[in-house]
Amino acid sequence: MKKQKEHMRHAIPVSKGQTYELRVERLGTSGEGVGRYENFTVFVPNALPGETVSVIIEEVKNSYARGRIKEILRASCDRIIPICEIYEDCGGCQLQHLSYEAQLDVKRAQVVDALIHIGKLPQIPVRETLRAEQPWNYRNKMQFPIGIHKGKIVVGCFAQGSHTIINTENCHIQRAENNDLANAAREIAEQLHIPVYNEDTHKGVLRHIVGRVGRSNDLMAVIVTATKRLPRAKDFVRMLRERLPNLVGVHQNIQTYRNNVIMGRDTSLLWGRPTIIDSLGRLNFHISPRSFFQVNTQQAQRLYEQALSYADLHGTETVIDAYCGTGTITLFLAQRARKVYGIEIVQPAILDARKNARDNHVKNAEFIVGDATAVMPALYKQGIRPDVVVVDPPRAGCTETVLRTFANMKPQRIVYVSCNPATLARDLAILNELGYETQEVQPVDLFPQTSHVECLTKIVRRDLL
């Protein structure tokens, strides 16, 4: 064993602190360049495919190394100058140095690569990435941590891979109203001398500032505190209202736990309206501080319209939405289906979904709290036979049990919405074995300037083809 370890150590061709020249072949899932030196993988942030770079190695593992660019020896023709002044330090975006057209190509390539290498499904057609008409200032939700740097309060994004807060005055992917809120909160916290939370000592008050922007540019502010009491709360609210003309509501959320979860369970309204309203097509949604709602409203609408197209509904179908959240996709589907069942394990989300259905006068959607693996067989026993199943799971994708549950109900079509090409590819391979053929994948750019890509997938029962 000792000789084997020594052999592995000697087989690694790079050393920490040394400089090497390599060619970048592709981008990794986090937007970093991936190249090889003597057939050994090296990850290089800010490097682009096709570039030749001189790299200083900063970390070495048995199967890969990480380095930073010392010099770009041959630049990609797709490389551009980032518009953000703090881009190289901030971890919020990963692709500002890549032209937008090339970002779309890279995201499609990421999906194709996952289907080929993880799913072993090279034959599946992957459409061009659905571009965003507004690739800047699109985020309707902001969650910025609050900290101290050199005695001053800082509000902004975390640096890549760390808990160092980068003071952010103008985030170029945030809506302008959110940037205004972040800057106002920083100034007011300084003026009122409100203690900032320290995650090492677990002392202090202010943890995060959260902003949400609605349909008419209405702004909601959520002050996240580590204590039940917010010192000088009335002054904080008054000063926010003086600075922010679009502000319609201010909440306090209490997060007392020693963890990285941004918001706690308890929220109180300090002033104004309890919700803001945003729209997707003809549907309106009341958004509270903890409601789930896609952060890119315009692209979310296009995503759901494509999901509706893949579902191919004619008004007679029964549909199951297996991870329905607050019911956004469910209500979209209900516009063209006979009946839609939304299933979600998180009870507050179901309560929001039922309220959204009432507010939009949707009467053919039923929302059920529970695990899809238990609820769906129960529905089947009741005689419910879905024509279409829609699934939008978290990044971890679906368990094989969930996928088998879908297949056992024998829907004609499955529409799979995914935020992770790797788990999507894995799950499509399982569905392929269970008698379902993937007809095409549509990548959608919900998060321009970042490495994330959303996918919609049309899947049909093979015996119907």
Side-chain angles (χ1 to χ4, degrees):
M1 180 64 74
K2 185 177 180 181
K3 287 184 178 180
Q4 185 179 6
K5 286 184 177 179
E6 286 179 357
H7 173 73
M8 288 176 66
R9 193 159 47 238
H10 290 309
I12 296 173
V14 299
S15 302
K16 185 176 178 179
Q18 297 301 305
T19 301
Y20 302 89
E21 182 180 316
L22 57 86
R23 180 176 170 82
V24 180
E25 298 170 356
R26 59 184 177 85
L27 290 187
T29 55
S30 298
E32 72 277 44
V34 182
R36 301 182 78 79
Y37 182 80
E38 294 184 6
N39 211 31
F40 188 76
T41 299
V42 182
F43 294 99
V44 189
N46 296 316
L48 295 176
E51 292 188 331
T52 303
V53 291
S54 174
V55 176
I56 299 174
I57 301 298
E58 295 184 323
E59 180 184 23
V60 180
K61 300 288 186 181
N62 284 336
S63 58
Y64 68 90
R66 294 187 183 277
R68 60 180 170 85
I69 294 176
K70 179 180 180 182
E71 184 182 358
I72 299 173
L73 302 174
R74 181 176 296 173
S76 166
C77 59
D78 295 316
R79 178 175 285 276
I80 61 173
I81 298 172
I83 67 172
C84 180
E85 294 179 355
I86 60 171
Y87 173 64
E88 291 188 5
D89 298 317
C90 177
C93 298
Q94 301 83 40
L95 298 180
Q96 275 196 32
H97 60 299
L98 182 64
S99 72
Y100 188 56
E101 294 300 326
Q103 287 184 36
L104 299 174
D105 292 340
V106 159
K107 292 183 181 188
R108 179 183 180 276
Q110 187 180 331
V111 178
V112 171
D113 185 70
L115 291 173
I116 292 172
H117 295 105
I118 298 173
K120 310 301 181 187
L121 298 167
Q123 76 282 4
I124 295 176
V126 179
R127 298 175 69 175
E128 297 299 316
T129 306
L130 194 60
R131 64 182 299 125
E133 292 178 12
Q134 296 179 342
W136 300 101
N137 301 110
Y138 59 85
R139 282 190 65 96
N140 58 42
K141 183 180 181 182
M142 168 198 71
Q143 300 179 128
F144 279 175
I146 304 173
I148 296 287
H149 180 67
K150 295 182 178 179
K152 290 280 191 180
I153 292 179
V154 291
V155 175
C157 300
F158 285 122
Q160 186 74 36
S162 82
H163 272 209
T164 301
I165 299 171
I166 306 297
N167 205 40
T168 308
E169 296 182 355
N170 181 22
C171 177
H172 293 278
I173 62 172
Q174 286 290 347
R175 294 276 294 272
E177 293 82 4
N178 283 333
N179 282 321
D180 292 342
L181 171 60
N183 293 328
R186 184 189 304 107
E187 294 168 10
I188 293 167
E190 282 277 9
Q191 291 173 22
L192 298 180
H193 304 289
I194 300 177
V196 170
Y197 175 73
N198 184 308
E199 63 181 14
D200 295 323
T201 64
H202 199 54
K203 293 183 178 178
V205 176
L206 299 176
R207 294 185 76 147
H208 282 82
I209 185 73
V210 177
R212 306 192 76 153
V213 185
R215 178 179 60 194
S216 303
N217 300 328
D218 290 347
L219 174 65
M220 171 195 292
V222 185
I223 306 163
V224 183
T225 63
T227 55
K228 292 183 178 179
R229 179 176 169 270
L230 171 61
R232 304 191 67 178
K234 289 184 179 178
D235 289 329
F236 206 127
V237 171
R238 174 181 55 80
M239 294 168 80
L240 280 176
R241 292 177 64 188
E242 289 171 354
R243 286 166 167 77
L244 304 168
N246 289 2
L247 189 68
V248 298
V250 182
H251 301 253
Q252 180 191 356
N253 176 268
I254 301 165
Q255 213 300 58
T256 59
Y257 294 102
R258 294 177 181 240
N259 57 30
N260 296 329
V261 176
I262 292 171
M263 296 180 73
R265 296 179 189 171
D266 298 326
T267 304
S268 59
L269 180 64
L270 301 180
W271 167 84
R273 301 203 315 242
T275 62
I276 56 173
I277 298 175
D278 212 336
S279 302
L280 291 169
R282 294 178 294 171
L283 300 170
N284 296 322
F285 295 88
H286 281 269
I287 302 169
S288 61
R290 295 182 64 205
S291 294
F292 172 79
F293 194 77
Q294 290 282 6
V295 301
N296 188 335
T297 308
Q298 188 177 65
Q299 284 296 88
Q301 179 167 331
R302 300 178 76 190
L303 177 84
Y304 295 157
E305 287 170 348
Q306 185 66 51
L308 198 56
S309 172
Y310 280 172
D312 192 21
L313 302 175
H314 303 280
T316 59
E317 294 86 358
T318 297
V319 182
I320 291 179
D321 183 2
Y323 291 81
C324 72
T326 55
T328 46
I329 294 182
T330 319
L331 298 182
F332 246 73
L333 297 165
Q335 296 175 97
R336 292 193 194 167
R338 183 185 66 82
K339 178 79 173 184
V340 184
Y341 295 89
I343 304 169
E344 173 59 57
I345 201 167
V346 180
Q347 185 173 20
I350 286 290
L351 296 176
D352 279 344
R354 289 171 180 163
K355 185 177 188 306
N356 286 329
R358 287 194 303 271
D359 290 345
N360 286 284
H361 309 290
V362 176
K363 297 181 179 178
N364 61 333
E366 182 178 333
F367 293 97
I368 304 168
V369 179
D371 186 332
T373 54
V375 173
M376 290 179 70
L379 292 174
Y380 195 80
K381 284 182 181 179
Q382 295 170 28
I384 294 166
R385 302 292 184 264
D387 301 288
V388 179
V389 168
V390 177
V391 56
D392 185 3
R395 286 189 64 79
C398 298
T399 64
E400 187 167 342
T401 303
V402 168
L403 297 172
R404 289 189 179 278
T405 302
F406 297 161
N408 288 340
M409 296 189 84
K410 298 189 183 312
Q412 298 169 25
R413 294 176 294 285
I414 298 173
V415 180
Y416 193 135
V417 185
S418 170
C419 59
N420 185 343
T423 55
L424 172 66
R426 178 202 68 199
D427 291 354
L428 293 182
I430 295 171
L431 286 170
N432 185 58
E433 293 174 1
L434 295 173
Y436 281 84
E437 184 169 305
T438 302
Q439 293 200 312
E440 69 175 34
V441 179
Q442 172 66 73
V444 183
D445 192 18
L446 248 68
F447 310 100
Q449 318 310 327
T450 79
S451 58
H452 303 294
V453 59
E454 202 90 0
C455 288
L456 272 159
T457 309
K458 183 180 181 181
I459 307 161
V460 176
R461 208 170 76 207
R462 191 171 290 112
D463 61 6
L464 298 176
L465 293 173

